Amino acid sequence: MTTPPKTEIRDRNSSALSKIRAGEPKPYEEKTYVLRALTIPGRSSGHPRTVPIAVVQLDGTRYICAPDRGRDWVQNLIAAKHCDLEGDPEPRHQADLVDDEAAAGAVHAYLAKLGKPSTMWPFPSDASPEEIHRHLGNIAVFRLKPRTP
């Protein structure tokens, strides 16, 4: 697994957010992902933090996945337990950290639709859901549930 420097991540995120916000939000589709701007309150400051994110839909449920549980936005979301997704009709979501078969399936669906190998994950991009499941303690998968403010 390769983690780029924070400055590179910030630059890449800024560019991706600009692209996401420039177009119309794509509708959700089963076993694929759409890009959204995810806003989470900072766990120390409470100030909103926004990052680009892929939201995967699997069996009608939406998930967000991270290859490293230690990332700042992941730690913020673990602490906040809620987030906002720009472009969703109901932007506020409850976010539950999960480690079940569906979580492994969501990561598998995401990587299958990515269309290129990724070195960001602690397993190969073509890993089976069973192999992914063994890594759920180190990666993060959040199950999203829309909620009213």
Side-chain angles (χ1 to χ4, degrees):
M1 179 169 76
T2 305
T3 303
K6 284 192 177 195
T7 54
E8 184 180 326
I9 292 171
R10 274 194 297 270
D11 291 345
R12 194 177 340 163
N13 284 352
S14 179
S15 176
L17 283 170
S18 294
K19 289 177 185 175
I20 291 168
R21 289 173 167 159
E24 286 294 317
K26 291 186 179 179
Y28 289 99
E29 292 182 44
E30 195 65 23
K31 293 186 179 179
T32 191
Y33 68 90
V34 297
L35 299 177
R36 295 285 190 264
L38 171 79
T39 302
I40 315 156
R43 62 191 176 280
S44 299
S45 69
H47 295 282
R49 308 286 185 218
T50 304
V51 296
I53 197 73
V55 182
V56 179
Q57 182 167 298
L58 188 64
D59 297 326
T61 302
R62 295 180 185 144
Y63 299 87
I64 52 178
C65 312
D68 179 358
R69 200 175 273 217
R71 289 192 176 169
D72 285 337
W73 74 263
V74 172
Q75 293 298 306
N76 288 340
L77 191 51
I78 288 171
K81 297 181 177 33
H82 69 85
C83 60
D84 291 333
L85 288 173
E86 291 178 21
D88 280 13
E90 196 60 57
R92 176 66 48 105
H93 290 75
Q94 177 179 320
D96 298 315
L97 186 63
V98 292
D99 61 359
D100 54 15
E101 288 180 20
V107 174
H108 184 263
Y110 167 71
L111 290 172
K113 288 295 182 179
L114 194 55
K116 60 183 178 183
S118 174
T119 60
M120 302 293 285
W121 298 85
F123 41 78
S125 294
D126 61 351
S128 68
E130 294 78 19
E131 184 176 352
I132 294 167
H133 195 274
R134 291 193 294 270
H135 292 272
L136 289 175
N138 298 317
I139 66 175
V141 180
F142 295 89
R143 183 176 291 129
L144 300 177
K145 180 180 176 188
R147 66 183 218 190
T148 54

